Amino acid sequence: MDIALEKASDTNASLIITLKPEDYKAEVDKKLKQYGKQASLKGFRPGHVPAAVLQKMYGKGILVEEVNGILSKSVTNYIRENKLQVVGDPMPNREEADAIDWDSQDEFKFSYELGLASDFDVDMTSLGSVNRYEIEAGDKEVNETIENLRTQFHSHQHAEEAGEGDTIFGELKQLNAPEGAEAFVTKTALPLAKVAPDALGTFLGKKKDETFTFAMEAAFPDEKERALATGAKKEDAGNLTGEFSFTIEDVTRHAPADLNQEFFDKVLGVGAVSDEETFRTKVKEIIGQNYGRESDNLLRNDIEQTLLDNILISLPDEFLKKWLLEMNEGKFTAEQIEEQYPDFTKSAKLQLIKNRVAEKNDINVNFEEVMDATRQMVRDQFGFAGSDGGEMDETIDKIAKNYLMDEKNNGQNYTQTFNRVFDDKVIDFIKSQLTIVDQTVSLDEFRERAQRQQA
C-alpha cells in the first residue's frame, strides 16, 4: 500500500492511498473460504460450493468491504502517527470512488480531502492576567432577596374585599347552560392573578357574601387556566363559556412573612440566627456564594477568550463549510452554516488549544475520574449528601454506572461526561499557569461585565 500526503496550503491537503492485490487479496480469499464452509446452495453439498461460484456470488461484496476497512484504518492511523491537526472529517473523492470497476480492477486509488489547522504553540507566559470577580452584595440586593424570601414564606390573611393577587372562594354557577344540558355549578377558588387584565376590574372590590356575574371566556381565555379555576376537566373547560355568577364566601391574600424567629428558622434552619442584623449578614454571604458559580463561569469564559486572542490558528474555512453542509445534509442551508460558522470556529480552535495543552502536560482522564464526576451528579440530582460508605454509596454507584453504560444512546453519556471532566482538568491546569487577579465588585458591576462578554 502506498499512502502520501499532498499539501496544497498550510490548511488544505489531500491524502492519496493506493491499494494493490497484496494489500487485500489474502484476507478476501480467507473470507471467501469461510463463506464456502457455510454456504448451502441447491445442487451442491454443504461446504462444497465451487470457488468460481462463490467468487461470482460473494466476491465483489467481500472485496468492497475489505477495501473500505483498510481505507478507514489507514486514514486514521496516518493522521494519528503523523500528528496531523485535522479539523472536520476526511472527505473522500466521491467521483473517483464511483468510477472504480470492482469487477476488473485489482489496483485501487483513493483520495481524501483533509482540512488542517495551522501550526501553533501554547506559551502560558505570554497570556497575561485574567480577572476573577468576587461579588459583594449591597443593601439593594440584600433587601430584594429578603423581600422575595418574605413572599416565598408568606402567610394567609382573610380580607373583606378582593384585591389584585387575592384568591376568592365561593360558589360558581353557569347562567346560560346549553339547551338540554345541566348548568355547571361548583364550589371553587378563583385566583385573581390568573384573570385576564381586561376582565380583572369585574372582580376587584367585590366583598364577602356578594354575588356578581362575569363572562368566563373573557376572564379565563386560556382553557388550561379555565380548567384549573373551575375544577373541570381540560377537555370540558372549552365548553364553559358565557355568563357565570360567583357568590363570594371568603377572600384570602398572601401576607409577607414577618421578620421574626419563625421566619429566620424557615430560611436558614432552626437556631442559625436570632436577630435581624445577623440574618441580613447571612443573606449577604449566601448571595455572594450563589453568584460564585456565575463568577467561575465568567472566569472560564475570560480564560478561553484570552487563549483565542493570544494563540493564532488558521482554519480551512471553505473546506469546513463544505464539510458542515455535507455532514448536516438537509438540516441546515449554506446560509445558516455561514451565519453560525464563527461560533463553530471558536469552538474548534478552543478544542485544538486544549488538546495541545493536554498533550504537552500529560493531562489524561481515567474511568474512575469519570465515575467520580457521575457520582457527584447523582448526589446533586437526588439530594444525597456526603458518603456513608454503605448502602447509599452502593446505590449511587449503581445509578452512576447505569447512566454511563446506557446502551440506548450509544455511549453518549460516557462521552459527554468524559469530555466535561477533560475540559475541567485542562482549564484547571491553565488557571494554575495564568496570573489570576482577584477583584471585589458589586452585583451590578458583575452583571455589566458579564453582559459585555456575551455581546
Side-chain angles (χ1 to χ4, degrees), residues 228-296:
L228 292 173
T230 62
K233 294 180 180 179
K234 185 178 178 181
E235 56 268 26
D236 297 331
N239 297 322
L240 298 180
T241 59
E243 292 293 311
F244 279 71
S245 69
F246 193 86
T247 301
I248 298 178
E249 297 178 9
D250 193 12
V251 179
T252 63
R253 65 178 50 141
H254 293 164
D258 293 327
L259 289 169
N260 55 25
Q261 190 62 48
E262 181 183 4
F263 174 64
F264 301 154
D265 290 347
K266 285 180 179 178
V267 175
L268 298 176
V270 177
V273 299
S274 58
D275 60 84
E276 183 178 340
E277 183 179 353
T278 308
F279 178 75
R280 291 179 64 87
T281 300
K282 286 288 186 182
V283 168
K284 185 175 183 178
E285 291 174 0
I286 291 170
I287 293 172
Q289 292 168 2
N290 288 343
Y291 277 96
R293 180 174 295 181
E294 291 190 38
S295 180
D296 288 342

Side-chain angles (χ1 to χ4, degrees), residues 25-41 45-51 54-55 58-59 62 65-66:
K25 192 173 187 307
E27 191 64 26
V28 170
D29 290 344
K30 177 181 174 182
K31 289 182 178 179
L32 270 174
K33 287 181 180 179
Q34 291 173 345
Y35 269 80
K37 292 177 182 178
Q38 301 167 1
S40 178
L41 296 178
R45 286 182 298 158
H48 289 76
V49 180
L54 291 172
Q55 175 64 37
Y58 305 114
I62 293 174
E65 181 182 357
E66 179 63 21

